[in-house]
């Protein structure tokens, strides 16, 4: 039994207008709490319980079931290889464009060179401590990061990957099972029907979670703004933040729509409006992984094929991060400017390439981009000959930690937007 059209319409209105009002109200309330030195812990807990945890609860089964179903139906058409290649090409090219846009913009505006010397000295004097993963050697070198990604793509134990909620191995496993099911023909029919039924049930459950989206958004935006405060925008890091946000907006509202229009994906702005609930969820949770259930639900109802959605969105939520690539490029060049390290064309090219790779390596969780930025810093230092006089200390990343949460919200929204535009475009290769 499906939801009645009236219920669907009521829910749509409530989710759309409720979430938009919640974002504004959350920003005002959060700023008020910040200025009065209050605590927003209650809001953080409410947001986690109402939105983040229920969505995360659905993510692992959703990846397994949707990719098995998607791979089985693609396997039957023989187009899995084509779709896989096109998907990866789309991901890498859009991320590289985003990183190049970020590097150009930050070099042109030079926010790190314009800071008052006293404020710059204060920033350099007391960087915040980096997250443990950035300093414990977990990120390691670029080679280590690649090996880790490869190991995740082909894990030894699929249950271990489920427990750790690492999507890449789950996707590989699911593709194998899906292809197996399509290869055995009639013998696999019952299993596929069960999987399809479970997929539909999951989508319905995601629809229920959406009823609380506005309340979850209010709670999460309030708690984030209460912690960070908008004063950062006018502080010494303000122009850096504006370059990141400006770059993200150009990528989201000009570059990606242009690609979508040119590659025959239809009206990009109408599409963005249709998938707005996924954008709002990404903004408030700062996590592409937690947003994945809403991303897929929104793509399917905005006219993307089930096949493309089930293949592109799970992969995109972990690999495709345009916003993160742009952000990492801007942040590293900004820090170099602050430390008076001049970067030439070759070093900027290194920034663009490693920011793209570091974004691929970032998990779809809050602040992941901040951690993998270590890779970009290491690569830039190596390209400068590891000369101690012209090296950016890894601890310098601590300077921008305080303003990371707000930027994380915006870049996660762009990350998810990229995945959805990918699903829309690849629908042409994999229609239902
Ligand atoms: N929070 C981002 C995401 O989940 C990753 C990042 O930190 O850039 O997409």
């Amino acid at each position: 039994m499906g939801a009645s059209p009236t219920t669907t319409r009521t829910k749509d209105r409530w989710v759309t207008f409720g979430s938009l009002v919640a974002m504004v109200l959350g920003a005002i309330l959060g700023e008020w709490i910040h200025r009065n030195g209050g605590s927003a812990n209650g809001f953080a807990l409410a947001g986690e319980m109402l939105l983040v945890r229920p969505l995360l609860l659905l993510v692992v089964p959703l990846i397994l079931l949707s990719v098995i179903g998607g791979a089985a139906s693609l396997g039957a058409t023989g187009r899995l290889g084509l779709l896989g290649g096109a998907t990866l090409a789309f991901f890498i090219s859009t991320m590289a464009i985003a990183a190049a846009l970020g590097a150009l913009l930050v070099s042109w505006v030079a926010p790190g060179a314009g800071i008052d010397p006293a404020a710059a000295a204060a920033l350099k004097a007391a960087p915040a401590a980096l997250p443990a993963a950035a300093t414990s050697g977990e990120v390691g070198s670029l080679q280590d990061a690649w090996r880790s990604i490869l190991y995740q793509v082909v894990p030894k134990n699929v249950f271990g990957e489920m427990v750790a909620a690492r999507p890449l191995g789950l996707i590989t496993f699911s593709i194998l099972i899906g292809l197996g099911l399509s290869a055995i023909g009639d013998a696999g029919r019952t299993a596929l029907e069960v999987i399809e039924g479970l997929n539909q049930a999951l989508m319905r459950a995601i629809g229920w979670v959406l009823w609380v989206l506005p309340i979850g958004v209010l709670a999460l935006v309030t708690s984030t703004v209460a912690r960070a405060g908008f004063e950062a925008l006018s502080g010494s890091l303000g122009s850096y933040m504006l370059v990141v946000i400006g770059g993200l907006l150009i990528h989201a509202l000009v570059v990606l729509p242009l690609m979508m229009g040119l590659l025959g994906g239809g009206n990009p702005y109408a599409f963005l409006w249709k998938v707005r609930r996924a954008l709002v969820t990404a903004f408030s949770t700062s996590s592409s992984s937690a947003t994945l259930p809403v991303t897929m639900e929104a793509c399917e109802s905005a006219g993307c094929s089930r096949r493309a959605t089930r293949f592109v969105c799970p992969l995109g939520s972990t690999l495709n991060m345009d916003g993160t690539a742009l952000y990492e490029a801007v942040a590293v060049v900004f820090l170099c400017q602050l430390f008076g390290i001049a970067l030439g064309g070759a070093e900027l090219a290194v920034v663009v390439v490693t920011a793209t790779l570091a974004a691929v390596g970032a998990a779809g969780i809050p602040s992941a981009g901040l951690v993998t930025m270590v890779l970009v810093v290491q690569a830039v230092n190596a390209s400068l000959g590891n000369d101690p006089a012209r090296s950016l200390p890894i601890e310098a990343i601590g300077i921008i930690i305080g303003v990371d949460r707000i930027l994380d919200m915006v870049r996660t929204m762009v990350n998810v937007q990229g995945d959805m535009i990918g699903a829309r475009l690849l629908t042409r290769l994999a229609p239902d």
Side-chain angles (χ1 to χ4, degrees), residues 141-370:
S141 65
L142 206 51
Q143 285 95 316
D144 294 340
W146 272 106
R147 187 169 318 118
S148 150
I149 293 180
L150 289 179
Y151 280 2
Q152 283 183 46
V153 171
V154 189
K156 286 193 285 192
N157 181 343
V158 72
F159 293 100
E161 304 306 290
M162 281 187 214
V163 171
R166 278 192 293 260
L168 287 176
L170 295 183
I171 293 173
T172 312
F173 173 79
S174 307
I175 289 177
L176 284 174
I177 298 292
L179 287 178
L181 283 172
S182 85
I184 58 178
D186 272 354
R189 184 157 305 148
T190 313
L192 280 173
E193 275 172 12
V194 171
I195 285 168
E196 182 53 34
L198 287 171
N199 260 320
Q200 289 191 21
L202 270 172
M203 282 295 160
R204 183 55 65 88
I206 293 162
W208 291 330
V209 175
L210 282 179
W211 276 106
V212 295
L213 184 68
I215 302 170
V217 169
L218 175 69
L220 291 171
V221 174
T222 304
S223 80
T224 308
V225 175
R227 253 181 281 146
F230 282 125
E231 79 218 349
L233 279 171
S234 58
S236 46
L237 293 176
S239 38
Y240 152 73
M241 293 178 77
L242 291 178
V243 171
V244 176
I245 295 174
L248 289 171
L249 288 179
I250 296 175
H251 192 72
L253 298 177
V254 181
V255 178
L256 284 175
L258 209 63
M259 282 185 85
M260 183 165 166
L262 290 177
L263 295 173
N267 182 338
Y269 301 105
F271 179 73
L272 282 186
W273 179 246
K274 283 189 197 147
V275 295
R276 59 195 176 272
R277 54 186 172 276
L279 300 175
V280 172
T281 310
F283 182 81
S284 53
T285 60
S286 297
S287 166
S288 305
S289 288
T291 309
L292 179 64
V294 188
T295 311
M296 294 182 64
E297 195 267 353
C299 278
E300 285 191 13
S301 46
C304 303
S305 70
R306 277 190 179 177
R307 282 183 177 146
T309 302
R310 288 174 180 187
F311 186 76
V312 177
C313 293
L315 263 184
S317 73
T318 175
L319 294 181
N320 186 34
M321 300 204 179
D322 295 8
T324 303
L326 186 146
Y327 157 78
E328 297 204 9
V330 174
V332 172
V333 176
F334 166 77
L335 290 173
C336 286
Q337 290 168 353
L338 197 63
F339 280 76
I341 301 168
L343 300 179
E347 285 88 33
L348 284 179
V350 169
V351 168
V352 171
V353 172
T354 46
T356 305
L357 300 180
V360 171
I365 55 174
S367 295
L370 198 61

Side-chain angles (χ1 to χ4, degrees), residues 406-424:
I406 302 236
L407 299 179
D408 202 359
M409 295 167 109
V410 189
R411 68 180 186 255
T412 307
M413 193 159 74
V414 179
N415 290 345
V416 169
Q417 182 196 350
D419 302 341
M420 294 190 289
I421 290 190
R424 180 78 199 99

